[in-house]
Structure formats: structure tokens, C-alpha cells
């Protein structure tokens, strides 16, 4: 009988209480971003690759299921549970570490990670990004990356629902 080991990307999953220690092992400058990443699409992976290109390593923090529900994206959201969304992100080569947060904002995980570069998508003005003041105060950078593709999980779900 063949024994199958867990895939290597599973090692990129990091509980929030281990984040500070695990981040200390990553190359700098460190990029940090966050989001729901419910159904991964081209817009997500393009954004993540562009964010990662700004530094030497990248941490992605995923909203937990409860946190996604509080965002008001719909009663059936998220479609995929936290652990599945985190694993899919961890499988991407541009992602070095994946953690999660249950609060309404990623402030606590940003403070634990102490990133050099804080990034969000183009729908966020840099001065409205949670943690931007703190990252700038310790000499870091804050970026809002414009969307290159008109894609969204909500639009994808609406299309699927209209077919049913």
C-alpha cells in the first residue's frame, strides 16, 4: 500500500497565534494582504501575483466564515469554508504563508506580522486600508493595486444562480 504525505503547501498554513514566530522566518521586505477569497478567480490570482512582486515574501490573511458573513455578502457566503480557502491560497506559488482572522478587520494580524508592505485591491484608497497608518509609521509602504480583470465571486455566483 502506498502512503501519501500531505502536500507541501499545507506547511504554509499558519494559525494566528503562531503568526509572529512564523513571519520572523520569512524574507523581507514582507508583503501582507487579506480578503475573503471565496471562489478563487483570475482577478484574485493576478492581484496576488502583483502584490507578491512588491516584496520578497507574502502573508495572506483570510476572513473566517463568521467574518465573511458579517460583511453582508449574502446568506450563503462563504461558499467554501475557511480551511478550504486558506489551503487553496497556500497552494499558490506567490503565497508564502496563510493565516486567518475572525474579527471585522485584519488589524491584529497586521500588527502581529509587522509587514513592510501592506496591499489591498483597487477598490481601497490607501488611507482607508486598515493598518495603513501603522505600516507607514514604521517606515513601510501601502499600495492599492488597480483591478486588471472585471471579475468577482459575487458576479460568478449570480451567473451560476441564473442558470439554475
Amino acid at each position: 500500500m502506498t502512503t501519501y504525505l500531505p502536500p507541501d503547501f499545507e506547511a504554509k498554513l499558519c494559525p494566528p497565534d503562531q503568526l509572529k514566530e512564523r513571519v520572523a522566518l520569512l524574507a523581507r521586505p514582507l508583503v501582507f494582504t487579506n480578503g475573503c477569497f471565496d471562489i478563487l478567480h483570475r482577478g484574485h490570482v493576478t492581484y496576488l501575483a502583483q502584490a507578491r512582486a512588491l516584496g520578497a515574501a507574502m502573508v495572506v490573511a483570510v476572513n473566517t466564515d463568521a467574518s465573511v458573513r458579517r460583511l453582508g455578502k449574502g446568506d450563503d457566503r462563504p461558499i467554501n469554508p475557511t480551511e478550504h480557502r486558506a489551503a487553496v491560497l497556500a497552494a499558490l506559488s506567490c503565497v508564502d504563508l496563510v493565516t486567518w482572522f475572525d474579527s471585522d478587520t485584519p488589524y491584529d494580524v497586521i500588527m502581529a506580522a509587522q509587514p513592510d508592505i501592506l496591499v489591498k485591491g483597487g477598490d481601497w484608497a490607501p488611507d482607508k486600508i486598515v493598518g495603513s497608518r501603522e505600516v507607514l509609521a514604521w517606515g513601510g509602504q501601502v499600495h492599492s493595486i488597480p483591478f486588471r480583470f472585471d471579475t468577482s465571486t459575487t458576479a460568478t455566483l449570480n451567473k451560476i444562480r441564473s442558470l439554475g
Side-chain angles (χ1 to χ4, degrees):
M1 181 190 331
T2 303
T3 303
Y4 295 99
L5 299 174
D8 290 344
F9 69 78
E10 297 273 346
K12 295 182 187 179
L13 300 173
C14 177
D17 64 344
Q18 296 175 16
L19 185 60
K20 191 170 186 167
E21 295 79 26
R22 298 276 302 272
V23 162
L25 303 173
L26 295 176
R28 295 286 183 155
L30 179 67
V31 176
F32 180 98
T33 192
N34 67 279
C36 301
F37 303 103
D38 194 1
I39 297 176
L40 209 59
H41 54 69
R42 186 175 186 182
H44 288 136
V45 296
T46 300
Y47 161 77
L48 290 168
Q50 290 176 306
R52 173 58 173 77
L54 296 171
M58 182 167 70
V59 173
V60 178
V62 178
N63 294 71
T64 62
D65 297 349
S67 179
V68 171
R69 283 190 286 277
R70 288 193 304 273
L71 292 174
K73 290 181 174 277
D75 293 340
D76 60 348
R77 299 285 299 279
I79 300 297
N80 291 300
T82 305
E83 60 273 13
H84 292 195
R85 292 181 283 121
V88 169
L89 288 165
L92 299 174
S93 62
C94 64
V95 176
D96 296 283
L97 204 61
V98 180
T99 192
W100 48 91
F101 62 98
D102 194 45
S103 56
D104 291 341
T105 74
Y107 183 83
D108 290 339
V109 287
I110 292 168
M111 293 304 105
Q114 297 279 304
D116 304 294
I117 303 163
L118 183 60
V119 182
K120 286 292 285 178
D123 53 340
W124 286 86
D127 64 328
K128 300 295 183 198
I129 298 172
V130 171
S132 62
R133 266 182 303 196
E134 292 79 1
V135 170
L136 291 170
W138 63 59
Q141 304 170 20
V142 178
H143 296 269
S144 178
I145 296 178
F147 296 128
R148 291 196 54 212
F149 300 97
D150 186 21
T151 58
S152 77
T153 299
T154 301
T156 300
L157 289 172
N158 288 340
K159 183 176 182 179
I160 292 168
R161 290 176 182 129
S162 72
L163 298 174

